[in-house]
Amino acid sequence: MLHFEHKFDAKIGKRAEEKIEEVFKAMQKERNSGKIGYYNLPQNGFDLLKEVEDYKKKNSLLKENSIRDVVVIGIGGSSLGTKAVYELLKDQVKTKKRLYFLENVDPLDITRTLKKINKNKALFIVISKSGSTIETTSIFKYIMEKYKFSFKNKEDMKKFIAITDKGSALSMLADKNGIKQFNIPLNVGGRFSVLSAVGIVPLSLVDIDIKGVLKGAKEFVDSFFEEKENNLLDKAYFYSKSAKNFPINVMFTYSSLFNYFNQWYVQLWAESLGKINKFGENVGLTPIHLIGSVDQHSFLQLIIQGPKNKTVTIIKIEDFKKPVKVPKLSLDFLEKVDYINGHKFNKLINAECEATYETIVDENIPADCISLDKITAENIGSLILYYELLTSAVGQFLEINTYDQPGVEFGKIKLVKKFTK
């Protein structure tokens, strides 16, 4: 279960209420028209799960349980969300299977990752919505050559899955060579695609409770459209209304397991909201992600006494379900810290979280706290939908196209020119 607490003044008067209602109806229209498809992924995901289970029965390598390493070849929206869910939930699964990610064309990272993979027990998932992402296709080519895989060998092709838009270049390659493919809905953008085949397929193959993730996501999106999550719209209104005074949004998560979730949030927030609005103005909100308690000893100083141009969201885990305690051990010269002896680390990290939050609020910095009672598949699904819906709502308030990324495309055009002059 998620609990929300806001410590900022959204000043919700009559005009604000009208604007919030207008944005809510615009999001309803997006959902009902089918123009924007991520709203319906939690519901549709259960059918996709059945398709994955059917594939596992038909692929002899999976049926015989000979696959141990599942390797995602993808970048950005094709990997970040999946990596986030995997990192948060992998310790709750008893399996020998492991999920690896080849996303950066850093040759050192590629080499290091492949050293961990057993070619004979590996299945490679090539993910590209467009079907021609340069980083993804380059790594795909390298894998084919390094391991001497052949498109003519049917057994080799059992080691690959393609996840892409139907009819893309990658889709056509898969069709031609008998590679199993799963398709991303055309109305779902990459950074909103974690609950499509992009995330469901690889996470299912390593036994993550994706059904629980979908359940939590569906419950939250349903709750939102039943108008039970007004706190989300109030926050989106405040963010957009105060964007010039508070252009930086800090996510401060109190668990190291959230590191990749934070990276997913950064892409979702930055790529969706950094735009030119309908009036020709450059708008956007800058995401920064921090991990507590580590970043209390660095970035917190800037938040407290630096420019007051930031909002802060604290994400807290009430119960880590790990009874690890600080030993009742007194060390010479360090007796002054013995007050913590015998207490659980769970209590320590949450006390630090609460102290940080209280300090931020005391300094009149706009802040809110999202508490998870514990790390579960359902809670993570809810949190994913919370941030996707929040992003859409802020985009509506900013009067931008939340779902395109023309600035990214400019860079891609320049890259092609560097290799085709």
Side-chain angles (χ1 to χ4, degrees):
M1 180 178 291
L2 273 58
H3 174 74
F4 304 94
E5 176 183 296
H6 290 178
K7 293 291 185 180
F8 52 76
D9 183 8
K11 295 182 179 179
I12 307 297
K14 184 176 180 181
R15 177 69 189 105
E17 288 178 355
E18 291 173 352
K19 186 62 179 176
I20 288 171
E21 182 64 21
E22 179 184 319
V23 164
F24 178 72
K25 287 181 178 178
M27 292 174 71
Q28 279 184 317
K29 184 177 179 180
E30 280 186 345
R31 184 194 194 194
N32 295 336
S33 69
K35 181 180 178 181
I36 304 301
Y38 85 84
Y39 297 111
N40 298 313
L41 289 179
Q43 175 63 47
N44 298 338
F46 293 102
D47 289 334
L48 179 57
L49 266 177
K50 294 177 183 176
E51 186 181 345
V52 176
E53 289 304 312
D54 183 58
Y55 165 69
K56 287 162 71 173
K57 293 175 184 176
K58 292 180 179 179
N59 184 316
S60 59
L61 298 178
L62 292 167
K63 187 177 180 179
E64 295 164 7
N65 206 28
S66 62
I67 296 297
R68 288 290 178 268
D69 301 331
V70 177
V71 186
V72 170
I73 304 172
I75 193 170
S78 296
S79 65
L80 283 175
T82 305
K83 185 188 282 190
V85 176
Y86 181 63
E87 187 66 20
L88 282 159
L89 298 178
K90 68 181 182 182
D91 292 335
Q92 300 182 15
V93 180
K94 293 182 179 179
T95 181
K96 294 181 180 179
K97 298 172 187 173
R98 291 291 178 266
L99 193 56
Y100 296 94
F101 295 86
L102 290 169
E103 50 190 343
N104 196 351
V105 288
D106 175 349
L108 295 176
D109 182 65
I110 293 171
T111 303
R112 183 181 297 152
T113 302
L114 290 180
K115 283 182 178 179
K116 303 174 186 176
I117 294 166
N118 183 337
K119 168 202 168 183
N120 297 319
K121 295 184 178 182
L123 185 147
F124 299 89
I125 306 178
V126 186
I127 307 178
S128 168
K129 181 170 174 60
S130 69
S132 56
T133 307
I134 190 65
E135 296 89 350
T136 303
T137 54
S138 296
I139 297 171
F140 180 26
K141 290 177 182 179
Y142 181 72
I143 294 295
M144 290 292 296
E145 182 178 82
K146 176 179 175 60
Y147 295 128
K148 308 302 179 187
F149 289 130
S150 171
F151 287 116
K152 297 179 181 179
N153 187 322
K154 291 183 179 180
E155 289 302 309
D156 282 355
M157 293 304 96
K158 288 181 182 179
K159 287 181 165 288
F160 289 90
I161 294 173
I163 299 177
T164 185
D165 282 353
K166 184 65 178 174
S168 73
L170 179 58
S171 174
M172 290 188 286
L173 178 73
D175 283 339
K176 180 181 178 181
N177 295 285
I179 297 173
K180 173 63 180 178
Q181 70 171 291
F182 295 90
N183 296 126
I184 305 166
L186 296 177
N187 60 0
V188 175
R191 57 189 176 275
F192 287 87
S193 67
V194 60
L195 298 183
S196 72
V198 167
I200 288 176
V201 174
L203 291 168
S204 297
L205 293 177
V206 293
D207 304 324
I208 295 295
D209 181 14
I210 195 66
K211 187 177 290 186
V213 175
L214 290 170
K215 180 175 180 289
K218 184 180 183 304
E219 288 176 354
F220 193 87
V221 75
D222 288 347
S223 180
F224 175 80
F225 284 109
E226 290 167 4
E227 300 189 67
K228 297 177 182 177
E229 305 295 342
N230 293 333
N231 60 294
L232 186 154
L233 289 168
D234 291 350
K235 180 175 174 178
Y237 172 77
F238 176 80
Y239 274 7
S240 59
K241 178 175 173 287
S242 308
K244 290 185 179 179
N245 293 326
F246 301 103
I248 299 172
N249 306 128
V250 178
M251 177 190 277
F252 211 149
T253 50
Y254 271 76
S255 169
S256 297
L257 300 187
F258 274 90
N259 184 48
Y260 294 128
F261 185 91
N262 293 2
Q263 292 181 29
W264 170 79
Y265 149 76
V266 166
Q267 186 203 8
L268 179 70
W269 203 245
E271 200 169 31
S272 297
L273 301 180
K275 300 288 172 63
I276 298 174
N277 68 12
K278 71 177 188 178
F279 305 108
E281 302 168 326
N282 296 90
V283 299
L285 293 161
T286 301
I288 291 176
H289 71 89
L290 305 175
I291 295 290
S293 57
V294 177
D295 290 316
Q296 286 177 199
H297 298 268
S298 55
F299 203 91
L300 182 59
Q301 174 63 36
L302 179 64
I303 293 173
I304 299 302
Q305 294 190 323
K308 296 299 175 68
N309 60 354
K310 305 169 193 68
T311 65
V312 181
T313 296
I314 300 285
I315 297 183
K316 174 185 177 183
I317 310 301
E318 296 286 354
D319 189 352
F320 285 81
K321 296 295 181 182
K322 292 291 181 184
V324 184
K325 291 184 179 181
V326 179
K328 293 182 179 180
L329 179 65
S330 186
L331 303 176
D332 291 344
F333 312 111
L334 296 175
E335 293 87 355
K336 67 179 181 179
V337 297
D338 285 354
Y339 63 86
I340 201 66
N341 286 2
H343 290 287
K344 293 179 181 179
F345 279 94
N346 194 137
K347 184 174 182 178
L348 174 57
I349 194 169
N350 280 336
E352 290 182 321
C353 174
E354 291 159 8
T356 297
Y357 185 47
E358 291 167 10
T359 302
I360 289 169
V361 171
D362 288 347
E363 291 296 319
N364 295 315
I365 295 167
D368 65 297
C369 181
I370 303 173
S371 298
L372 286 69
D373 58 345
K374 52 190 174 183
I375 295 177
T376 65
E378 288 83 357
N379 281 344
I380 299 310
S382 294
L383 197 60
I384 287 169
L385 257 293
Y386 171 85
Y387 269 101
E388 290 181 339
L389 290 166
L390 181 66
T391 302
S392 290
V394 174
Q396 287 284 349
F397 281 118
L398 293 177
E399 300 189 79
I400 59 173
N401 182 344
T402 308
Y403 309 104
D404 66 357
Q405 52 279 332
V408 176
E409 302 306 319
F410 298 157
K412 290 180 180 179
I413 292 169
K414 288 185 179 295
L415 176 63
V416 172
K417 289 181 178 179
K418 290 182 179 294
F419 287 91
T420 57
K421 286 182 179 179

